[in-house]
Amino acid sequence: MKALGPIPSGYEAIGGVLGVGGKPVTHWVAQAGGETPLFLYSADLVRSRVAELRAALPEQVALHYAVKANPFGPLLSLMAGLVDGFDIASGGELERIRAAGLPLGKVSFAGPGKRDAELEAAIRAGVTLNLESAGEARRAIAIGDRLGTRPRLAIRVNPDFDLKGSGMKMGGGAKPFGVDAELVPALTREIVQSGAEWRGFHIFAGSQALDAEAIAEAQGQTLVLAARLASESAVALPHCNLGGGLGIPYFPGDAPLDLSLVGGRLGEQMQSLPDILRETEFCIELGRYLVGEAGVYIARIVDRKISHGEVFLVTDGGLHHQLAASGNFGTVVRRNYPSAIATRFVAPVEEEASIVGCLCTPLDKLADKGGFPIAQEGDLIAVFCAGAYGASASPAQFLGQGPAREMLV
Ligand SMILES: *Cc1c(COP(=O)(O)O)cnc(C)c1O
């Protein structure tokens, strides 16, 4: 039997069935007209996660939501009342923010390959552009001139360090992201001289780290780098986005991040800021840490079959909605996400079974040889940690399947 990842806290059985948002998942499936698969996002779990963060982080560090983790409209609306700003990574995400009716002045836009039309839409909307290269800076300035609008410009810095132990390294060495640190002072001066509204730096060192010491160390290095680049540029820094990288436990053996250590160390760092950063506003940007554990993916068992003595629970879901859980989104070795038989949530483990999807590929595995109660056709399965990089980061059109329904509950 292979271990399953740890089920996040906050999930309990209601009448033997997995509960989300105070109701058994069968209730939500019935509300969806009996249709599965289904993503359920718990508003309560998002709220309590934000409250934990607010309690742990120093007050002067603002909290931003990285929309790419989950751009579901109702979730964005919920977030609007909880966080201080939004970070987007495409013109499409800008349209999602606009469609949700959220204020655009608190939005910043990072990401390589911004097209002129995206730059223009962002400048018109008053969105801060985190510029990824000198070429992009010049295009943004030219578009601002043409529109007669002062663009709000920040530089995304490619730091000369990375976040140790992070699942996805986004800084250190040659990268498509950000401007190499040594090129930043000259570009900063060019932006300031252009008459654009200078907004400061965005320094993102990595993602999905569970080691609080490593995060604290990267935050310290980020502050040192920001101070050095600001003084070399001889400009003040109105704003500095310190990145994020706070991870969640997905796999067997993963332990939750020590948030109090991260917050405590950041608090100490804020107390001893170098002079040049005394007036700077800071934020961190988080995606999965805010929403990942608040989401569950529910699918129905269509077929229970035994092949060469192994049990396969064949569902109506799969990697087209949960690419990461299938192990095909940036992992080297496939390991099991947390999963369960949602309709037998408190039943003891009775057998070894694999939960697979309905796609005709051996990659389509949601749980490999896990220990489960004996489940039958019609039972619902749950894959946890589905609130981030699930629906929007999976190939929903593969095999003509189409997207899953999503509900904020
Ligand atoms: C992807 C990304 C994030 C969000 O990462 P999480 O691991 O979901 O917190 C934040 N900032 C930038 C620049 C990103 O590219």
Side-chain angles (χ1 to χ4, degrees), residues 12 33 37 81 113 126 153 164 176 203 207 218 230 255 265 320 342 352 366 370 397:
E12 268 154 32
L153 304 182
K164 291 189 189 69
I203 307 177
S207 200
R265 290 278 287 278
H320 53 301
E352 179 185 295
L366 296 174
Q397 297 309 325

Side-chain angles (χ1 to χ4, degrees), residues 45-87:
L45 290 182
V46 173
R47 283 192 203 99
S48 56
R49 179 49 61 92
V50 171
E52 282 164 29
L53 273 160
R54 295 285 191 192
L57 291 174
E59 226 172 87
Q60 73 263 48
V61 176
L63 184 59
H64 286 197
Y65 176 52
V67 172
K68 88 173 191 274
N70 188 333
F72 182 52
L75 184 69
L76 295 180
S77 300
L78 171 71
M79 279 295 176
L82 298 174
V83 300
D84 307 304
F86 289 88
D87 295 316

Side-chain angles (χ1 to χ4, degrees), residues 94 98 103-109 118-129 147 149-153 197 199:
L94 176 59
R98 206 193 292 277
L104 297 169
K106 296 274 177 143
V107 176
S108 59
F109 181 1
E118 293 175 297
L119 293 173
E120 178 170 334
I123 292 168
R124 282 182 189 279
V127 164
T128 294
L129 289 166
L147 297 176
T149 304
R150 239 182 128 201
R152 311 181 80 193
L153 304 182
E197 183 182 337
R199 293 298 298 148

Side-chain angles (χ1 to χ4, degrees), residues 124-172:
R124 282 182 189 279
V127 164
T128 294
L129 289 166
N130 292 327
L131 300 164
E132 305 276 348
S133 73
E136 191 174 274
R138 287 167 200 148
R139 284 193 290 130
I141 290 166
I143 290 168
D145 285 346
R146 175 163 61 71
L147 297 176
T149 304
R150 239 182 128 201
R152 311 181 80 193
L153 304 182
I155 295 178
R156 175 165 179 185
V157 179
N158 176 20
D160 35 22
F161 56 87
D162 62 20
L163 173 52
K164 291 189 189 69
S166 66
M168 289 199 195
K169 294 198 194 316
M170 310 267 294

Side-chain angles (χ1 to χ4, degrees), residues 12-26 345-346:
E12 268 154 32
I14 301 174
V17 174
L18 169 66
V20 181
K23 295 269 197 289
V25 295
T26 42
F345 194 52
V346 285

Side-chain angles (χ1 to χ4, degrees), residues 66 68-69 156 170 202 204 207-208 246 285-288 389:
K68 88 173 191 274
R156 175 165 179 185
M170 310 267 294
H202 171 214
F204 183 78
S207 200
Q208 179 49 21
L246 280 60
E285 50 173 356
L286 301 176
R288 79 185 77 223
Y389 307 108

